[in-house]
Amino acid sequence: MASARTTVAALLLSLLAALASSYSVPMFATRRSSMTMRKGRKSLRKTVASGLSSSTGAVRPMAGAEPAQRASNWVAVSGISSRSDLPSEEGKVKVVETMAPQLIDGATTPAGAVSVVTYEGKTYCTDVSCPSCKIPLTKARILEPNEETGGADPRIACDFCSATFNVRTGERVEDAKGTGFVGGIVKGLMSANKDQSNLQTYDLGEKDGKVLINLP
């Protein structure tokens, strides 16, 4: 009886050993393939980076000599083929679809949309919606610079809740006045719970005739 059990056990061990040896090569091949894929991805990243953000010093910021963001991650804007596609009307907010993965949100901005506006020859770019009321800034008012913006940067005021920001840096400033009857009611209802976050802004630049956006 004991001899039969020993024989069965030996056969099982032999079978397991054979199975293990048969899977050893595919496992190695998988690891090698994984290493190759990782190398390929690294090469792809280098290729994309060299094509979009090499020689970042050559990128000319559109909102002034000093970019609002210190880090440089310039990528092409698919919704703008050249500077001629930018809004030409002063103070008129235009929505542009960037298709940048960092800006895509399936629920709110499936195409990575941003707001772009021109003021006194400079072009500014912000999130597409107001951080306070989450309403798109398509009808936002562009206001002249004041003391809060150092007398240099214009302000953008949400047409719905009156939340106001430095359009270049996104910093929150005093809410604009003159919202009208409906706007006044909305402002009163939202004032207690209004989000006081700053507005996300993005630097736009130009290089070799192409418009680039500096993503965080």
Side-chain angles (χ1 to χ4, degrees):
M1 186 73 173
S3 177
R5 289 179 178 175
T6 302
T7 302
V8 171
L11 288 172
L12 287 173
L13 288 173
S14 299
L15 179 60
L16 290 173
L19 288 172
S21 63
S22 68
Y23 277 96
S24 62
V25 173
M27 289 174 65
F28 175 77
T30 301
R31 288 196 297 271
R32 185 174 181 181
S33 298
S34 177
M35 291 173 64
T36 302
M37 289 176 66
R38 285 197 296 270
K39 288 180 179 178
R41 284 197 296 268
K42 184 176 181 181
S43 176
L44 177 61
R45 286 197 299 269
K46 286 183 177 180
T47 300
V48 173
S50 64
L52 295 179
S53 56
S54 61
S55 303
T56 54
V59 178
R60 293 182 297 171
M62 295 184 176
E66 182 182 354
Q69 299 168 229
R70 294 183 179 180
S72 294
N73 182 30
W74 296 98
V75 299
V77 183
S78 72
I80 303 176
S81 59
S82 66
R83 195 182 183 100
S84 61
D85 292 331
L86 295 172
S88 56
E89 184 178 350
E90 286 274 319
K92 180 70 173 179
V93 177
K94 178 180 180 180
V95 174
V96 175
E97 296 179 349
T98 67
M99 297 306 296
Q102 298 94 319
L103 301 180
I104 291 177
D105 184 319
T108 56
T109 54
V114 294
S115 295
V116 179
V117 64
T118 298
Y119 183 86
E120 292 189 351
K122 297 179 180 180
T123 304
Y124 304 90
C125 179
T126 74
D127 262 353
V128 74
S129 298
C130 170
S132 294
C133 65
K134 317 305 179 187
I135 299 297
L137 293 168
T138 51
K139 295 184 179 180
R141 294 178 293 152
I142 305 302
L143 308 174
E144 62 184 12
N146 64 1
E147 292 183 1
E148 288 184 284
T149 63
D153 300 326
R155 297 164 292 155
I156 182 169
C158 176
D159 187 60
F160 191 76
C161 72
S162 300
T164 308
F165 311 87
N166 181 319
V167 76
R168 186 180 71 86
T169 67
E171 294 177 342
R172 188 69 180 262
V173 297
E174 183 179 354
D175 288 356
K177 303 296 190 295
T179 58
F181 179 73
V182 175
I185 294 176
V186 171
K187 183 178 179 180
L189 292 173
M190 298 185 63
S191 59
N193 301 312
K194 187 159 59 175
D195 189 336
Q196 298 297 317
S197 300
N198 291 335
L199 175 65
Q200 178 67 57
T201 62
Y202 309 95
D203 295 318
L204 289 180
E206 185 179 13
K207 179 182 178 182
D208 299 330
K210 295 182 179 180
V211 176
L212 308 178
I213 184 171
N214 192 10
L215 297 176

